[in-house]
Amino acid sequence: MLEDPLRYDAPVDPAAIVIFGATGDLTRRKLLPALFRLAYERRLPAGFAVVGVSRTAMSDDAFRERMRDAVAQFLEDTPFDEELWAGFARGLFYLSGDVQDKNLYSRLKQKLEEVDRERQTAGNALFYLSTQPSHYAPAAAGLGGAGLQQGAGWRRLIVEKPFGHDGPSAAALNRGLREVFNEDQIYRIDHYLGKETVQNILAFRFGNGIFEPLWNRRYVSHVQITAAESIGVEGRGAYYQEAGALRDMIQNHLLQVMATMAMEPPAAYEPDAVRDERAKLLRAIRVWTPAEAAENAVAGQYGPARIGGADVPGFREEPGVDPEAQTGTYAAITLEVDNWRWAGVPFYIRSGKRLPKRVTDVAIQFNRAPLAMFEAGAGRMQETYPNLLVLRIQPEEGISLRFFSKQPGSGMRLRPVTMDFNYGASFGARSPSAYETLLLDALKGDATLYTRQDMVEASWAVVAPVLEHWSSVKHDFPNYAAGTWGPEASGRLLARRGHEWRMP
Amino acid sequence: MLDAGQVLKDLDALWRTTGKHEGAGVLRACAMTMLVVTGEETDSGDAAETLAALTREHPSRLVLLRQSAALSRPEARANVQCWMPFGGRQQICSEQIEMESPALGELLPAVRGVLVADLPVVLWCRDLTLAAGAEMRELAALAGKVIVDTAGLRDAAEAWPLLDRLRAGRAAVADLAWTRITRWRETVQQAFRSPACREKLRALERVELRWAGEGTPTTVTYLAGWLRWLAPRAAVQLACIDPRMPSRGMGRIRELRLASPDFDVRLRRPEGVGVAIEIEGLAARVLFPRLDAAALLREELGVFGPDEHYEQALTRSRPS
């Protein structure tokens, strides 16, 4: 009877969050501001603590001071309240050590016991691996060695992407994690799934009766998923050189978005029911042969350009990047889903840097009307502007539907118009950040928006032939200019099937 | 009598003009009709400010109804309110119609004509003296939800007859005084979140509620009623600890204690936005920022359908 879901959310358990990599950028920019925001919203229990773990030697007070600066700097849409911070900061603790050092974990165990006594965290602990990926398995092993994977309360582990750099390394990482934690204790974070508008795809599809009947091969011509950035690698050159657009965006975020958009209705809105359907969809994506991979994927890399009167470097001129780098800053791929709903419907996915604007959306293009019965030229118009449903993920979240309407006046001249639903206009309320949503879900034990190992493996299987093909050829990079929509070859990718990229 | 058709024509002309002036066009957003009743004593500028703050989250056709004895005949005006979302390129607009008359009843036919088809109608009566009138019954019959605010009354006893009259209609009745205590209820929930604590809640022996300002406000009686529902065995003690009325927006509740021999929870709110929580010796702090009418309405407009907690609290909040 205490819960009043009409007015406020269910409370979360008392817990300690242990952040490995506590002095890193993610902790400063995202995690601590998200946690403080949750405190501001009264979403955290009184018994709550954060234990930061990193190599730098520091006292609890120094860590609090450092985190205070970070929260004050990166907190968005929320006033920094000194009184609230004072209470919040009492729950911040720090432990220095190397994740490779076994001794760290026995000290952590001791620290958690002290914190539990002081902050009444009920023995619950959420371990957050915000370190470099090579430390994930040693950290899990260290936690297991100290017996920290189980305790008086629940124990959970959050892992940041990347989950490996290919299928075998993802499987190896998983084996390392699973030696210590059960699958239901592991939360693989994909912050795209925490975005309100990605969650809204589920609401749009399964909360309404009018769209789902159209959501299949009979009515849909093809689907385009775009994630474009107008910026370059911005100081992440060294990391990006190892990853590239296919690994950095498509293998994880965009395949998850595609799975959300294309999956079958789950039996219930419950973690495993939703994740089962996502996983089924990912497994149903046809895995290309090497020859097919060559035909169905395009890599690109941006060159130097002059933007807004200033020279901007090409990818190969970015700091930390090999001047001969073969890494793609653009990737486009055609996928097909071998199931009854989508057989024969191409899914085109593209992602790139230094494109004309920052935009992420999913566009579902419907088949044109079977007959152009109006004035001459209407058929051509209908081909050029087919019915289109766009699910806009960022920056202007919303949904729009393009259809034809009669132009005012005599005769039957048609004109494409759009009907817009703007998320911000209809719900002007502040949306929680993806990290607020995902951290809260992990504290509640709700894994709906987290990826599962079978999904990770299926995603790697989808992109593996393309990665393999790309590693076997020498690309003629750079092959697109900053401010364009990618290399010319990406246009040909769609033209082969009689389609063309839209301009988002 | 006001001509609803003319008001809608004026509105249509306004949309056309606004659309022409904006290069990218404007986006018209509407999720409901919101009728707002104000009397001469209430400040309509204040209402306009509240509604402007509300329109981003709950874009609606706002119909502001004002009873004004100074007028000889009813008058109406239409305008649109636009705002540019952060980072957006297109203005988002919602519409507002103001109607004034010496008697509210004269506005009823025009109000019926300007309701947005197929969307919910919410009636917010800002003036409690008007809420008891016969015209209000007819207006309330158009709405799915009627909102009043009894928190300004010195004593809850003044609120009961009014709420009874409104609740006799078919519309759901909401009281912003109830909305004001959501944060107290949420914090109590947090304190009793574990299954073991739930048992302690049912076994509570004593509830103490302290407030500031003379009289017993409805916020106190609602919170007491809700706690009686949750902890039926507890003796509920109510006491005013400070006769001075707090500043606006601060709320009158100062302290809540939930106690049994083996359990003790205290929530204390001195003047300020911080609330000190003590649960079995663990001290924590949360914020209860000042609430304005827009924030309260924002929450209330998000609640559709029956509100069981309110019904249960209301039933147990008044003398039988």
Side-chain angles (χ1 to χ4, degrees):
Chain A
M1 289 198 297
L2 265 174
E3 287 84 8
D4 187 354
L6 291 175
R7 310 267 175 180
Y8 47 82
D9 294 314
V12 299
D13 293 336
I17 298 188
V18 180
I19 302 175
F20 290 90
T23 53
D25 244 19
L26 183 74
T27 307
R28 293 174 57 248
R29 286 173 181 270
K30 300 288 183 189
L31 302 183
L32 258 292
L35 288 170
F36 186 68
R37 173 72 206 187
L38 291 173
Y40 182 85
E41 296 273 8
R42 300 182 299 282
R43 306 299 309 277
L44 296 181
F48 180 76
V50 173
V51 181
V53 179
S54 194
R55 265 204 292 226
T56 316
M58 209 180 335
S59 66
D60 288 342
D61 280 339
F63 179 61
R64 287 167 187 151
E65 199 48 43
R66 192 183 272 221
M67 290 303 113
R68 186 197 178 286
D69 293 345
V71 170
Q73 185 180 353
F74 296 112
L75 188 64
E76 289 174 358
D77 314 324
T78 307
F80 182 82
D81 186 278
E82 291 289 353
E83 263 192 70
L84 183 66
W85 174 259
F88 182 80
R90 277 199 294 275
L92 299 186
F93 303 88
Y94 185 79
L95 187 66
S96 65
D98 185 341
V99 288
Q100 313 267 18
D101 175 10
K102 285 181 184 165
N103 185 37
L104 168 70
Y105 301 93
S106 50
R107 289 191 294 121
L108 176 60
K109 189 172 189 176
Q110 198 180 345
K111 185 90 173 179
L112 276 176
E113 284 164 2
E114 288 164 21
V115 167
D116 188 31
R117 277 194 297 277
E118 189 178 333
R119 302 298 304 169
Q120 299 183 19
T121 52
N124 298 322
L126 175 63
F127 302 104
Y128 197 120
L129 302 185
S130 173
T131 61
Q132 50 178 294
S134 60
H135 288 164
Y136 293 169
L143 290 168
L148 281 163
Q149 81 281 26
Q150 54 197 18
W154 51 254
R155 298 294 159 104
R156 296 174 190 140
L157 177 76
I158 294 185
V159 189
E160 269 285 338
K161 72 145 196 169
F163 313 121
H165 57 270
D166 55 18
S169 60
L173 169 63
N174 188 51
R175 279 195 300 277
L177 300 179
R178 290 295 307 278
E179 276 173 16
V180 180
F181 291 91
N182 297 323
E183 177 63 31
D184 63 4
Q185 291 178 287
I186 302 172
Y187 290 66
R188 296 175 190 82
I189 207 163
D190 184 323
H191 75 268
Y192 249 64
L193 290 179
K195 287 179 184 285
E196 287 277 317
T197 38
V198 174
Q199 294 173 62
N200 194 39
I201 294 174
L202 294 177
F204 181 78
R205 288 189 61 198
F206 305 127
N208 297 294
I210 58 173
F211 301 110
E212 202 53 23
L214 307 177
W215 219 260
N216 56 53
R217 63 191 303 277
R218 189 165 172 203
Y219 297 102
V220 175
S221 156
H222 66 276
V223 178
Q224 296 186 17
I225 301 176
T226 301
E229 291 283 353
S230 58
I231 56 172
V233 292
E234 309 292 307
R236 291 169 68 226
Y239 158 76
Y240 201 86
Q241 181 171 247
E242 301 303 316
L246 191 63
R247 283 192 178 94
D248 191 47
M249 288 296 293
I250 295 179
Q251 181 273 333
N252 37 64
H253 304 319
L254 299 187
L255 283 181
Q256 289 296 332
V257 170
M258 174 181 164
T260 307
M261 176 268 150
M263 71 187 204
E264 295 299 314
Y269 190 63
E270 288 166 2
D272 273 334
V274 175
R275 300 199 301 174
D276 285 348
E277 295 304 335
R278 277 203 191 104
K280 270 163 63 181
L281 190 285
L282 291 168
R283 283 199 299 271
I285 298 175
R286 188 182 305 165
V287 177
W288 299 126
T289 63
E292 288 169 334
E295 285 179 4
N296 286 291
V298 170
Q301 189 189 83
Y302 63 84
R306 193 166 175 80
I307 298 176
D311 289 324
V312 292
F315 178 67
R316 289 173 171 179
E317 288 80 46
E318 298 275 7
V321 175
D322 176 356
E324 296 295 318
Q326 286 285 302
T327 309
T329 58
Y330 176 96
I333 182 169
T334 304
L335 298 174
E336 291 197 18
V337 179
D338 287 335
N339 65 15
W340 277 52
R341 185 189 283 262
W342 296 115
V345 177
F347 285 73
Y348 303 113
I349 306 181
R350 63 178 161 174
S351 176
K353 295 200 171 286
R354 286 244 192 271
L355 299 185
K357 64 175 171 181
R358 174 178 172 255
V359 62
T360 302
D361 63 22
V362 180
I364 297 140
Q365 187 162 314
F366 291 92
N367 293 322
R368 62 181 207 152
L371 180 69
M373 63 189 290
F374 300 112
E375 92 284 7
R380 190 189 165 97
M381 177 87 103
Q382 281 168 285
E383 258 177 45
T384 313
Y385 299 101
N387 292 137
L388 192 68
L389 180 69
V390 182
L391 310 172
R392 299 191 307 270
I393 293 170
Q394 61 186 20
E396 285 184 51
E397 298 93 339
I399 292 165
S400 61
L401 178 66
R402 183 173 69 191
F403 56 93
F404 279 98
S405 174
K406 179 185 175 299
Q407 282 196 51
S410 60
M412 278 301 272
R413 285 180 302 147
L414 307 188
R415 187 181 128 181
V417 293
T418 59
M419 192 159 68
D420 274 324
F421 159 74
N422 187 305
Y423 212 69
S426 296
F427 305 101
R430 172 191 179 276
S431 293
S433 72
Y435 279 98
E436 285 169 51
T437 304
L438 292 167
L439 282 167
L440 205 55
D441 281 358
L443 287 167
K444 287 194 281 195
D446 181 348
T448 309
L449 300 177
Y450 285 85
T451 54
R452 216 169 45 189
Q453 180 58 20
D454 54 346
M455 296 152 85
V456 173
E457 283 170 8
S459 306
W460 278 120
V462 168
V463 299
V466 179
L467 289 169
E468 205 170 306
H469 168 65
W470 286 353
S471 67
S472 69
V473 296
K474 184 164 167 55
H475 297 284
D476 187 15
F477 286 160
N479 60 351
Y480 73 95
T484 66
W485 281 106
E488 278 179 23
S490 73
R492 293 196 290 275
L493 188 74
L494 273 68
R496 284 176 50 224
R497 288 178 165 84
H499 301 138
E500 60 182 314
W501 288 113
R502 29 184 298 278
M503 298 281 190
Chain B
M1 195 172 81
L2 284 177
D3 178 0
Q6 186 57 50
V7 174
L8 292 178
K9 266 188 198 165
D10 293 347
L11 206 49
D12 190 48
L14 265 175
W15 278 116
R16 286 168 192 273
T17 314
T18 313
K20 268 184 200 161
H21 284 174
E22 300 299 328
V26 295
L27 194 62
R28 181 177 173 181
C30 186
M32 72 179 114
T33 303
M34 184 154 178
L35 306 174
V36 183
V37 178
T38 67
E40 288 180 284
E41 300 306 313
T42 42
D43 179 359
S44 57
D46 199 20
E49 205 174 295
T50 299
L51 296 170
L54 203 60
T55 196
R56 295 186 183 201
E57 271 173 69
H58 297 282
S60 51
R61 176 175 290 173
L62 295 170
V63 184
L64 203 53
L65 307 169
R66 186 172 160 85
Q67 181 167 293
S68 176
L71 293 174
S72 55
R73 60 191 175 85
E75 288 179 3
R77 287 175 295 281
N79 59 63
V80 294
Q81 286 190 340
C82 297
W83 59 283
M84 185 77 86
F86 178 74
R89 292 185 297 277
Q90 198 173 36
Q91 297 239 42
I92 296 168
C93 302
S94 59
E95 50 203 16
Q96 188 171 318
I97 298 168
E98 287 180 47
M99 295 182 180
E100 284 189 89
S101 171
L104 274 183
E106 289 187 71
L107 299 175
L108 272 165
V111 170
R112 289 193 189 98
V114 299
L115 299 181
V116 181
D118 306 318
L119 285 176
V121 178
V122 175
L123 169 63
W124 175 31
C125 184
R126 294 187 73 230
D127 189 328
L128 288 182
T129 58
L130 292 173
E135 293 97 340
M136 191 56 60
R137 267 203 301 277
E138 291 191 63
L139 273 173
L142 302 174
K145 181 165 189 166
V146 177
I147 301 173
V148 292
D149 187 1
T150 64
L153 299 174
R154 199 189 70 91
D155 195 277
E158 299 167 44
W160 308 137
L162 169 71
L163 290 170
D164 286 344
R165 264 197 297 276
L166 290 172
R167 287 164 55 81
R170 70 173 187 92
V173 175
D175 186 348
L176 297 183
W178 168 251
T179 324
R180 285 171 204 276
I181 61 166
T182 296
R183 301 174 304 181
W184 287 94
R185 297 194 299 121
E186 186 184 16
T187 310
V188 169
Q189 179 203 229
Q190 297 267 14
F192 289 94
R193 112 239 116 236
S194 71
C197 290
R198 292 293 162 98
E199 289 306 313
K200 289 175 177 169
L201 175 67
R202 275 185 283 277
L204 271 187
E205 291 181 358
R206 203 167 71 252
V207 170
E208 297 169 14
L209 245 171
R210 314 264 181 257
W211 70 90
E214 285 181 347
T216 308
T218 37
T219 46
V220 166
T221 58
Y222 281 148
L223 188 52
W226 184 68
L227 290 164
R228 283 188 190 107
W229 179 44
L230 297 180
R233 291 173 51 190
V236 179
Q237 299 170 1
L238 308 179
C240 171
I241 52 168
D242 182 355
R244 290 169 302 164
M245 203 55 95
S247 58
R248 201 174 170 191
M250 279 308 304
R252 291 172 63 180
I253 300 173
R254 286 287 157 269
E255 190 175 333
L256 171 63
R257 185 173 179 201
L258 308 161
S260 56
D262 64 339
F263 197 70
D264 197 0
V265 172
R266 278 172 192 245
L267 312 178
R268 272 185 300 217
R269 186 188 195 193
E271 280 278 347
V273 295
V275 171
I277 305 172
E278 281 174 47
I279 306 168
E280 295 286 88
L282 176 67
R285 196 167 186 84
V286 292
L287 294 186
F288 283 10
R290 276 173 189 271
L291 288 174
D292 56 14
L296 295 166
L297 285 166
R298 207 170 282 141
E299 177 181 324
E300 208 48 64
L301 292 175
V303 178
F304 291 98
D307 184 347
E308 193 202 356
H309 283 246
Y310 176 56
E311 294 298 325
Q312 296 289 355
L314 182 63
T315 309
R316 290 164 177 80
S317 62
R318 50 206 294 185
S320 48

